[in-house]
Amino acid sequence: MYIKRTVEKTILDMGNSFPCIVVYGPRQVGKSTTLDYVFPESFHRVTLDDIEERKLASENPKLFLESNPWPVIIDEIQKVPELLDEIKIKIDAQRRVWLKNNEERSLMYILTGSNRFELQQGISDSLAGRCGVVEMSSFSQIEKLQEESRLFTPKIHELISRAASTKIPYKTRSKIFEEIFMGGMPDICTGVSERDIYFKSYVNTYIEKDVRKLISASSETQFRNFISIVALRTAQELHYEEIANNVGIDVKTCKKWISILETSGIIYLLKPYLANISNRIIKAPKMYFMDTGLCAFLCKWPNANMLENCAMGGAFFETYIVSEIVKNFFAFNVEPRDYLFYYRDIDQKEIDLLYVNEEGIYPIEIKKGISPKNPTKNFRVLEKYKTEIKNGIVIDCCEKIRALNESSYCFPVHLLGI
């Protein structure tokens, strides 16, 4: 069963604008399945997971591309980054033909990758101006419902209008935590794989195919321990020294391993808002797992009920909200780092999310409970900024949007993505 993805339109728009597109995303989030659905017959496919194909691509990139003429989808491009220079040559040569014959250009290459770590520089150097980049993540809650998604906005009047036009049913907090526990990986959501068996295999595959060549062989056991320790710190500020000490590695290695997790889409780092740089502002990023099911598996929580009621319940709820918003931004080809921040100062005043645009700052609090006590008390700390403070929202498990005061509203988590 194919579940329609919000990112499909972004992929098609990119294909109309560039001769090459790169689709990034963690392993098994549905990149190949989505591309097969969007381009069912017009592209043939080759994967660099195939040893023979990878050998030819590495040793003779020109012959590889001649043997696999465009339009073509090349999976796992990070395995042979040497191909990028030859793809550039092919694109530039074809552009000259199109220009000479006054022809419309078309999409030549679709490249998929599960790890940016080795590819970022190559894409920037070889394919700058020639390719569009699309980020894919695991399913969002609105995709699982097969409802139409729209780009996230914190503007309350827009949210009220959208809520009035949707029939998405209310979910209790327990139902939300069942979603959090299961996560959004396609094989789990569609019933192809059993959750625990799947995630055990997933971690092994991720380390064997994406990580092993980036770390020393003797560090593999430490890296497995590292992922679990990082999972236990989801929705917390990222302190490299503390994690390094717990794992038994140096800070430099810890930073490299965090970078591997980030560039392979396992975690997302939310930056602090530093528009008014001050020694009183906390400058460490906050770290969130992009799939809460994987995070819960690594933390060894046995079921959704225990996860909901454990000491980490609030952190998982916050992780769920932040990852849902980031997934939404990725699907619409909007860079979340341009808009999303958090605030915390040394006086322990914190705001979970700030949505910042040219209009002003929209403060967002995330609360696991229903009708939390005084959830907007820290919004006033933003008055020191010479920027208009817009309406605030508190995302919790309420049933419908309702006013808290003149400028703040509760917003139901089950309507995220509408």
PDB file of all heavy atoms in Angstrom, residues 19-20 61-62 65-66 70 82-98 108-109 125-128 130:
ATOM      1  N   PRO A  19      18.101  20.270 -13.835  1.00  0.00           N
ATOM      2  CA  PRO A  19      18.368  19.023 -14.560  1.00  0.00           C
ATOM      3  C   PRO A  19      18.724  17.859 -13.644  1.00  0.00           C
ATOM      4  O   PRO A  19      18.791  16.717 -14.072  1.00  0.00           O
ATOM      5  CB  PRO A  19      19.557  19.388 -15.455  1.00  0.00           C
ATOM      6  CG  PRO A  19      20.248  20.491 -14.738  1.00  0.00           C
ATOM      7  CD  PRO A  19      19.168  21.268 -14.031  1.00  0.00           C
ATOM      8  N   CYS A  20      18.949  18.166 -12.357  1.00  0.00           N
ATOM      9  CA  CYS A  20      19.313  17.120 -11.395  1.00  0.00           C
ATOM     10  C   CYS A  20      18.696  17.467 -10.049  1.00  0.00           C
ATOM     11  O   CYS A  20      18.671  18.642  -9.657  1.00  0.00           O
ATOM     12  CB  CYS A  20      20.840  17.021 -11.275  1.00  0.00           C
ATOM     13  SG  CYS A  20      21.446  15.854 -10.017  1.00  0.00           S
ATOM     14  N   PRO A  61      33.633   6.284 -14.067  1.00  0.00           N
ATOM     15  CA  PRO A  61      32.358   7.013 -13.973  1.00  0.00           C
ATOM     16  C   PRO A  61      31.736   7.326 -15.337  1.00  0.00           C
ATOM     17  O   PRO A  61      30.517   7.255 -15.490  1.00  0.00           O
ATOM     18  CB  PRO A  61      32.746   8.296 -13.232  1.00  0.00           C
ATOM     19  CG  PRO A  61      33.999   7.958 -12.493  1.00  0.00           C
ATOM     20  CD  PRO A  61      34.718   6.978 -13.356  1.00  0.00           C
ATOM     21  N   LYS A  62      32.575   7.650 -16.312  1.00  0.00           N
ATOM     22  CA  LYS A  62      32.059   7.988 -17.638  1.00  0.00           C
ATOM     23  C   LYS A  62      31.347   6.796 -18.265  1.00  0.00           C
ATOM     24  O   LYS A  62      30.228   6.923 -18.795  1.00  0.00           O
ATOM     25  CB  LYS A  62      33.207   8.448 -18.542  1.00  0.00           C
ATOM     26  CG  LYS A  62      32.750   8.891 -19.919  1.00  0.00           C
ATOM     27  CD  LYS A  62      33.926   9.421 -20.728  1.00  0.00           C
ATOM     28  CE  LYS A  62      33.461   9.887 -22.109  1.00  0.00           C
ATOM     29  NZ  LYS A  62      34.592  10.423 -22.915  1.00  0.00           N
ATOM     30  N   LEU A  65      27.935   6.096 -16.587  1.00  0.00           N
ATOM     31  CA  LEU A  65      26.831   6.953 -17.016  1.00  0.00           C
ATOM     32  C   LEU A  65      26.423   6.664 -18.459  1.00  0.00           C
ATOM     33  O   LEU A  65      25.251   6.815 -18.818  1.00  0.00           O
ATOM     34  CB  LEU A  65      27.214   8.427 -16.850  1.00  0.00           C
ATOM     35  CG  LEU A  65      27.371   8.908 -15.400  1.00  0.00           C
ATOM     36  CD1 LEU A  65      27.720  10.384 -15.368  1.00  0.00           C
ATOM     37  CD2 LEU A  65      26.102   8.650 -14.592  1.00  0.00           C
ATOM     38  N   GLU A  66      27.358   6.242 -19.274  1.00  0.00           N
ATOM     39  CA  GLU A  66      27.004   5.845 -20.636  1.00  0.00           C
ATOM     40  C   GLU A  66      26.188   4.551 -20.630  1.00  0.00           C
ATOM     41  O   GLU A  66      25.303   4.354 -21.466  1.00  0.00           O
ATOM     42  CB  GLU A  66      28.266   5.673 -21.476  1.00  0.00           C
ATOM     43  CG  GLU A  66      28.948   6.994 -21.818  1.00  0.00           C
ATOM     44  CD  GLU A  66      30.276   6.802 -22.539  1.00  0.00           C
ATOM     45  OE1 GLU A  66      30.735   5.637 -22.631  1.00  0.00           O
ATOM     46  OE2 GLU A  66      30.860   7.812 -22.979  1.00  0.00           O
ATOM     47  N   TRP A  70      20.684   8.957 -19.060  1.00  0.00           N
ATOM     48  CA  TRP A  70      19.555   9.678 -18.451  1.00  0.00           C
ATOM     49  C   TRP A  70      18.328   9.543 -19.330  1.00  0.00           C
ATOM     50  O   TRP A  70      18.465   9.320 -20.539  1.00  0.00           O
ATOM     51  CB  TRP A  70      19.940  11.148 -18.224  1.00  0.00           C
ATOM     52  CG  TRP A  70      20.196  11.959 -19.470  1.00  0.00           C
ATOM     53  CD1 TRP A  70      21.364  12.098 -20.169  1.00  0.00           C
ATOM     54  CD2 TRP A  70      19.230  12.757 -20.170  1.00  0.00           C
ATOM     55  NE1 TRP A  70      21.204  12.911 -21.241  1.00  0.00           N
ATOM     56  CE2 TRP A  70      19.898  13.352 -21.272  1.00  0.00           C
ATOM     57  CE3 TRP A  70      17.876  13.048 -19.982  1.00  0.00           C
ATOM     58  CZ2 TRP A  70      19.257  14.202 -22.177  1.00  0.00           C
ATOM     59  CZ3 TRP A  70      17.239  13.904 -20.877  1.00  0.00           C
ATOM     60  CH2 TRP A  70      17.921  14.468 -21.960  1.00  0.00           C
ATOM     61  N   GLU A  82      32.609  10.221  -6.548  1.00  0.00           N
ATOM     62  CA  GLU A  82      33.362  10.555  -7.769  1.00  0.00           C
ATOM     63  C   GLU A  82      32.440  10.731  -8.974  1.00  0.00           C
ATOM     64  O   GLU A  82      32.815  11.359  -9.973  1.00  0.00           O
ATOM     65  CB  GLU A  82      34.374   9.448  -8.092  1.00  0.00           C
ATOM     66  CG  GLU A  82      35.361   9.142  -6.972  1.00  0.00           C
ATOM     67  CD  GLU A  82      34.908   8.001  -6.067  1.00  0.00           C
ATOM     68  OE1 GLU A  82      33.723   7.992  -5.688  1.00  0.00           O
ATOM     69  OE2 GLU A  82      35.734   7.135  -5.745  1.00  0.00           O
ATOM     70  N   LEU A  83      31.245  10.182  -8.895  1.00  0.00           N
ATOM     71  CA  LEU A  83      30.292  10.298 -10.006  1.00  0.00           C
ATOM     72  C   LEU A  83      29.836  11.736 -10.229  1.00  0.00           C
ATOM     73  O   LEU A  83      29.418  12.099 -11.335  1.00  0.00           O
ATOM     74  CB  LEU A  83      29.056   9.434  -9.736  1.00  0.00           C
ATOM     75  CG  LEU A  83      29.023   8.012 -10.292  1.00  0.00           C
ATOM     76  CD1 LEU A  83      27.725   7.336  -9.886  1.00  0.00           C
ATOM     77  CD2 LEU A  83      29.156   8.017 -11.809  1.00  0.00           C
ATOM     78  N   LEU A  84      29.893  12.555  -9.194  1.00  0.00           N
ATOM     79  CA  LEU A  84      29.324  13.897  -9.284  1.00  0.00           C
ATOM     80  C   LEU A  84      30.000  14.745 -10.354  1.00  0.00           C
ATOM     81  O   LEU A  84      29.339  15.491 -11.087  1.00  0.00           O
ATOM     82  CB  LEU A  84      29.403  14.596  -7.921  1.00  0.00           C
ATOM     83  CG  LEU A  84      28.611  13.928  -6.791  1.00  0.00           C
ATOM     84  CD1 LEU A  84      28.837  14.655  -5.484  1.00  0.00           C
ATOM     85  CD2 LEU A  84      27.130  13.871  -7.124  1.00  0.00           C
ATOM     86  N   ASP A  85      31.323  14.637 -10.475  1.00  0.00           N
ATOM     87  CA  ASP A  85      32.036  15.410 -11.499  1.00  0.00           C
ATOM     88  C   ASP A  85      31.605  14.996 -12.900  1.00  0.00           C
ATOM     89  O   ASP A  85      31.440  15.841 -13.795  1.00  0.00           O
ATOM     90  CB  ASP A  85      33.554  15.239 -11.345  1.00  0.00           C
ATOM     91  CG  ASP A  85      34.118  16.031 -10.178  1.00  0.00           C
ATOM     92  OD1 ASP A  85      33.478  17.028  -9.786  1.00  0.00           O
ATOM     93  OD2 ASP A  85      35.180  15.653  -9.666  1.00  0.00           O
ATOM     94  N   GLU A  86      31.413  13.703 -13.115  1.00  0.00           N
ATOM     95  CA  GLU A  86      31.014  13.220 -14.433  1.00  0.00           C
ATOM     96  C   GLU A  86      29.563  13.604 -14.735  1.00  0.00           C
ATOM     97  O   GLU A  86      29.225  13.919 -15.884  1.00  0.00           O
ATOM     98  CB  GLU A  86      31.188  11.701 -14.506  1.00  0.00           C
ATOM     99  CG  GLU A  86      31.113  11.133 -15.909  1.00  0.00           C
ATOM    100  CD  GLU A  86      32.200  11.662 -16.828  1.00  0.00           C
ATOM    101  OE1 GLU A  86      33.338  11.867 -16.360  1.00  0.00           O
ATOM    102  OE2 GLU A  86      31.891  11.899 -18.019  1.00  0.00           O
ATOM    103  N   ILE A  87      28.718  13.607 -13.708  1.00  0.00           N
ATOM    104  CA  ILE A  87      27.334  14.058 -13.893  1.00  0.00           C
ATOM    105  C   ILE A  87      27.316  15.532 -14.288  1.00  0.00           C
ATOM    106  O   ILE A  87      26.550  15.953 -15.163  1.00  0.00           O
ATOM    107  CB  ILE A  87      26.515  13.806 -12.611  1.00  0.00           C
ATOM    108  CG1 ILE A  87      26.274  12.302 -12.431  1.00  0.00           C
ATOM    109  CG2 ILE A  87      25.183  14.565 -12.641  1.00  0.00           C
ATOM    110  CD1 ILE A  87      25.627  11.924 -11.116  1.00  0.00           C
ATOM    111  N   LYS A  88      28.183  16.317 -13.668  1.00  0.00           N
ATOM    112  CA  LYS A  88      28.293  17.735 -14.036  1.00  0.00           C
ATOM    113  C   LYS A  88      28.648  17.886 -15.517  1.00  0.00           C
ATOM    114  O   LYS A  88      28.057  18.713 -16.229  1.00  0.00           O
ATOM    115  CB  LYS A  88      29.364  18.406 -13.172  1.00  0.00           C
ATOM    116  CG  LYS A  88      29.712  19.825 -13.604  1.00  0.00           C
ATOM    117  CD  LYS A  88      30.913  20.346 -12.837  1.00  0.00           C
ATOM    118  CE  LYS A  88      31.352  21.704 -13.378  1.00  0.00           C
ATOM    119  NZ  LYS A  88      32.563  22.211 -12.689  1.00  0.00           N
ATOM    120  N   ILE A  89      29.590  17.100 -15.971  1.00  0.00           N
ATOM    121  CA  ILE A  89      30.006  17.168 -17.385  1.00  0.00           C
ATOM    122  C   ILE A  89      28.829  16.825 -18.295  1.00  0.00           C
ATOM    123  O   ILE A  89      28.586  17.503 -19.308  1.00  0.00           O
ATOM    124  CB  ILE A  89      31.194  16.222 -17.632  1.00  0.00           C
ATOM    125  CG1 ILE A  89      32.442  16.727 -16.888  1.00  0.00           C
ATOM    126  CG2 ILE A  89      31.489  16.085 -19.131  1.00  0.00           C
ATOM    127  CD1 ILE A  89      33.598  15.754 -16.885  1.00  0.00           C
ATOM    128  N   LYS A  90      28.095  15.770 -17.949  1.00  0.00           N
ATOM    129  CA  LYS A  90      26.945  15.349 -18.760  1.00  0.00           C
ATOM    130  C   LYS A  90      25.874  16.445 -18.800  1.00  0.00           C
ATOM    131  O   LYS A  90      25.284  16.732 -19.856  1.00  0.00           O
ATOM    132  CB  LYS A  90      26.348  14.061 -18.196  1.00  0.00           C
ATOM    133  CG  LYS A  90      27.211  12.829 -18.359  1.00  0.00           C
ATOM    134  CD  LYS A  90      27.167  12.322 -19.797  1.00  0.00           C
ATOM    135  CE  LYS A  90      27.880  10.987 -19.920  1.00  0.00           C
ATOM    136  NZ  LYS A  90      27.903  10.505 -21.324  1.00  0.00           N
ATOM    137  N   ILE A  91      25.608  17.048 -17.661  1.00  0.00           N
ATOM    138  CA  ILE A  91      24.591  18.101 -17.587  1.00  0.00           C
ATOM    139  C   ILE A  91      24.993  19.309 -18.426  1.00  0.00           C
ATOM    140  O   ILE A  91      24.200  19.850 -19.209  1.00  0.00           O
ATOM    141  CB  ILE A  91      24.344  18.512 -16.119  1.00  0.00           C
ATOM    142  CG1 ILE A  91      23.621  17.391 -15.371  1.00  0.00           C
ATOM    143  CG2 ILE A  91      23.539  19.809 -16.046  1.00  0.00           C
ATOM    144  CD1 ILE A  91      23.476  17.630 -13.880  1.00  0.00           C
ATOM    145  N   ASP A  92      26.249  19.743 -18.289  1.00  0.00           N
ATOM    146  CA  ASP A  92      26.706  20.921 -19.029  1.00  0.00           C
ATOM    147  C   ASP A  92      26.688  20.679 -20.531  1.00  0.00           C
ATOM    148  O   ASP A  92      26.329  21.569 -21.317  1.00  0.00           O
ATOM    149  CB  ASP A  92      28.106  21.321 -18.565  1.00  0.00           C
ATOM    150  CG  ASP A  92      28.104  21.907 -17.155  1.00  0.00           C
ATOM    151  OD1 ASP A  92      27.000  22.197 -16.642  1.00  0.00           O
ATOM    152  OD2 ASP A  92      29.192  22.059 -16.567  1.00  0.00           O
ATOM    153  N   ALA A  93      27.059  19.474 -20.949  1.00  0.00           N
ATOM    154  CA  ALA A  93      27.036  19.150 -22.378  1.00  0.00           C
ATOM    155  C   ALA A  93      25.604  19.164 -22.910  1.00  0.00           C
ATOM    156  O   ALA A  93      25.336  19.694 -23.999  1.00  0.00           O
ATOM    157  CB  ALA A  93      27.672  17.784 -22.616  1.00  0.00           C
ATOM    158  N   GLN A  94      24.669  18.614 -22.126  1.00  0.00           N
ATOM    159  CA  GLN A  94      23.281  18.578 -22.563  1.00  0.00           C
ATOM    160  C   GLN A  94      22.658  19.967 -22.561  1.00  0.00           C
ATOM    161  O   GLN A  94      21.833  20.293 -23.425  1.00  0.00           O
ATOM    162  CB  GLN A  94      22.472  17.635 -21.667  1.00  0.00           C
ATOM    163  CG  GLN A  94      21.044  17.396 -22.134  1.00  0.00           C
ATOM    164  CD  GLN A  94      20.990  16.803 -23.532  1.00  0.00           C
ATOM    165  OE1 GLN A  94      21.782  15.941 -23.882  1.00  0.00           O
ATOM    166  NE2 GLN A  94      20.048  17.296 -24.340  1.00  0.00           N
ATOM    167  N   ARG A  95      23.055  20.797 -21.626  1.00  0.00           N
ATOM    168  CA  ARG A  95      22.564  22.179 -21.603  1.00  0.00           C
ATOM    169  C   ARG A  95      22.939  22.913 -22.891  1.00  0.00           C
ATOM    170  O   ARG A  95      22.133  23.690 -23.433  1.00  0.00           O
ATOM    171  CB  ARG A  95      23.145  22.919 -20.398  1.00  0.00           C
ATOM    172  CG  ARG A  95      22.368  22.730 -19.102  1.00  0.00           C
ATOM    173  CD  ARG A  95      23.066  23.441 -17.966  1.00  0.00           C
ATOM    174  NE  ARG A  95      22.192  23.662 -16.834  1.00  0.00           N
ATOM    175  CZ  ARG A  95      22.586  24.209 -15.688  1.00  0.00           C
ATOM    176  NH1 ARG A  95      23.852  24.575 -15.527  1.00  0.00           N
ATOM    177  NH2 ARG A  95      21.741  24.390 -14.700  1.00  0.00           N
ATOM    178  N   ARG A  96      24.139  22.672 -23.376  1.00  0.00           N
ATOM    179  CA  ARG A  96      24.569  23.322 -24.631  1.00  0.00           C
ATOM    180  C   ARG A  96      23.712  22.850 -25.810  1.00  0.00           C
ATOM    181  O   ARG A  96      23.384  23.625 -26.702  1.00  0.00           O
ATOM    182  CB  ARG A  96      26.056  23.046 -24.878  1.00  0.00           C
ATOM    183  CG  ARG A  96      26.979  23.783 -23.913  1.00  0.00           C
ATOM    184  CD  ARG A  96      28.431  23.702 -24.345  1.00  0.00           C
ATOM    185  NE  ARG A  96      28.990  22.374 -24.169  1.00  0.00           N
ATOM    186  CZ  ARG A  96      29.578  21.954 -23.059  1.00  0.00           C
ATOM    187  NH1 ARG A  96      29.672  22.765 -22.009  1.00  0.00           N
ATOM    188  NH2 ARG A  96      30.071  20.730 -22.975  1.00  0.00           N
ATOM    189  N   VAL A  97      23.356  21.563 -25.798  1.00  0.00           N
ATOM    190  CA  VAL A  97      22.499  21.030 -26.861  1.00  0.00           C
ATOM    191  C   VAL A  97      21.121  21.680 -26.803  1.00  0.00           C
ATOM    192  O   VAL A  97      20.562  22.095 -27.831  1.00  0.00           O
ATOM    193  CB  VAL A  97      22.372  19.492 -26.723  1.00  0.00           C
ATOM    194  CG1 VAL A  97      21.323  18.952 -27.702  1.00  0.00           C
ATOM    195  CG2 VAL A  97      23.720  18.823 -26.966  1.00  0.00           C
ATOM    196  N   TRP A  98      20.556  21.760 -25.596  1.00  0.00           N
ATOM    197  CA  TRP A  98      19.238  22.392 -25.450  1.00  0.00           C
ATOM    198  C   TRP A  98      19.262  23.846 -25.918  1.00  0.00           C
ATOM    199  O   TRP A  98      18.352  24.306 -26.598  1.00  0.00           O
ATOM    200  CB  TRP A  98      18.789  22.342 -23.986  1.00  0.00           C
ATOM    201  CG  TRP A  98      18.418  20.973 -23.499  1.00  0.00           C
ATOM    202  CD1 TRP A  98      17.910  19.951 -24.244  1.00  0.00           C
ATOM    203  CD2 TRP A  98      18.534  20.489 -22.167  1.00  0.00           C
ATOM    204  NE1 TRP A  98      17.696  18.853 -23.445  1.00  0.00           N
ATOM    205  CE2 TRP A  98      18.058  19.141 -22.162  1.00  0.00           C
ATOM    206  CE3 TRP A  98      18.978  21.028 -20.965  1.00  0.00           C
ATOM    207  CZ2 TRP A  98      18.035  18.364 -21.008  1.00  0.00           C
ATOM    208  CZ3 TRP A  98      18.950  20.270 -19.819  1.00  0.00           C
ATOM    209  CH2 TRP A  98      18.481  18.945 -19.836  1.00  0.00           C
ATOM    210  N   MET A 108      17.295  15.192 -15.778  1.00  0.00           N
ATOM    211  CA  MET A 108      18.191  14.146 -16.257  1.00  0.00           C
ATOM    212  C   MET A 108      18.515  13.119 -15.168  1.00  0.00           C
ATOM    213  O   MET A 108      18.473  11.915 -15.411  1.00  0.00           O
ATOM    214  CB  MET A 108      19.502  14.768 -16.764  1.00  0.00           C
ATOM    215  CG  MET A 108      19.337  15.735 -17.920  1.00  0.00           C
ATOM    216  SD  MET A 108      20.880  16.634 -18.304  1.00  0.00           S
ATOM    217  CE  MET A 108      21.966  15.293 -18.808  1.00  0.00           C
ATOM    218  N   TYR A 109      18.866  13.609 -13.996  1.00  0.00           N
ATOM    219  CA  TYR A 109      19.351  12.719 -12.939  1.00  0.00           C
ATOM    220  C   TYR A 109      18.600  12.964 -11.639  1.00  0.00           C
ATOM    221  O   TYR A 109      18.382  14.115 -11.225  1.00  0.00           O
ATOM    222  CB  TYR A 109      20.847  12.935 -12.689  1.00  0.00           C
ATOM    223  CG  TYR A 109      21.712  12.611 -13.876  1.00  0.00           C
ATOM    224  CD1 TYR A 109      22.171  13.631 -14.718  1.00  0.00           C
ATOM    225  CD2 TYR A 109      22.057  11.297 -14.170  1.00  0.00           C
ATOM    226  CE1 TYR A 109      22.965  13.333 -15.826  1.00  0.00           C
ATOM    227  CE2 TYR A 109      22.843  10.998 -15.274  1.00  0.00           C
ATOM    228  CZ  TYR A 109      23.291  12.018 -16.090  1.00  0.00           C
ATOM    229  OH  TYR A 109      24.065  11.717 -17.193  1.00  0.00           O
ATOM    230  N   ASP A 125      30.518  21.743  -4.786  1.00  0.00           N
ATOM    231  CA  ASP A 125      31.564  22.003  -5.780  1.00  0.00           C
ATOM    232  C   ASP A 125      31.130  21.625  -7.191  1.00  0.00           C
ATOM    233  O   ASP A 125      31.349  22.383  -8.142  1.00  0.00           O
ATOM    234  CB  ASP A 125      32.841  21.225  -5.417  1.00  0.00           C
ATOM    235  CG  ASP A 125      33.499  21.758  -4.156  1.00  0.00           C
ATOM    236  OD1 ASP A 125      33.130  22.863  -3.724  1.00  0.00           O
ATOM    237  OD2 ASP A 125      34.345  21.046  -3.588  1.00  0.00           O
ATOM    238  N   SER A 126      30.530  20.450  -7.353  1.00  0.00           N
ATOM    239  CA  SER A 126      30.265  19.914  -8.690  1.00  0.00           C
ATOM    240  C   SER A 126      28.905  20.315  -9.251  1.00  0.00           C
ATOM    241  O   SER A 126      28.778  20.571 -10.449  1.00  0.00           O
ATOM    242  CB  SER A 126      30.372  18.382  -8.672  1.00  0.00           C
ATOM    243  OG  SER A 126      31.661  17.971  -8.287  1.00  0.00           O
ATOM    244  N   LEU A 127      27.898  20.352  -8.407  1.00  0.00           N
ATOM    245  CA  LEU A 127      26.547  20.513  -8.930  1.00  0.00           C
ATOM    246  C   LEU A 127      25.878  21.819  -8.508  1.00  0.00           C
ATOM    247  O   LEU A 127      24.666  21.968  -8.617  1.00  0.00           O
ATOM    248  CB  LEU A 127      25.679  19.333  -8.480  1.00  0.00           C
ATOM    249  CG  LEU A 127      26.110  17.962  -9.020  1.00  0.00           C
ATOM    250  CD1 LEU A 127      25.189  16.864  -8.506  1.00  0.00           C
ATOM    251  CD2 LEU A 127      26.125  17.951 -10.549  1.00  0.00           C
ATOM    252  N   ALA A 128      26.671  22.771  -8.029  1.00  0.00           N
ATOM    253  CA  ALA A 128      26.117  24.078  -7.657  1.00  0.00           C
ATOM    254  C   ALA A 128      25.412  24.705  -8.859  1.00  0.00           C
ATOM    255  O   ALA A 128      25.965  24.792  -9.951  1.00  0.00           O
ATOM    256  CB  ALA A 128      27.229  24.998  -7.166  1.00  0.00           C
ATOM    257  N   ARG A 130      23.104  23.457 -10.518  1.00  0.00           N
ATOM    258  CA  ARG A 130      22.612  22.423 -11.435  1.00  0.00           C
ATOM    259  C   ARG A 130      21.623  21.471 -10.773  1.00  0.00           C
ATOM    260  O   ARG A 130      21.011  20.662 -11.452  1.00  0.00           O
ATOM    261  CB  ARG A 130      23.786  21.609 -11.991  1.00  0.00           C
ATOM    262  CG  ARG A 130      24.793  22.455 -12.779  1.00  0.00           C
ATOM    263  CD  ARG A 130      26.047  21.652 -13.070  1.00  0.00           C
ATOM    264  NE  ARG A 130      27.029  22.439 -13.808  1.00  0.00           N
ATOM    265  CZ  ARG A 130      27.903  23.257 -13.245  1.00  0.00           C
ATOM    266  NH1 ARG A 130      27.910  23.419 -11.922  1.00  0.00           N
ATOM    267  NH2 ARG A 130      28.767  23.933 -14.001  1.00  0.00           N
TER     268      ARG A 130
END
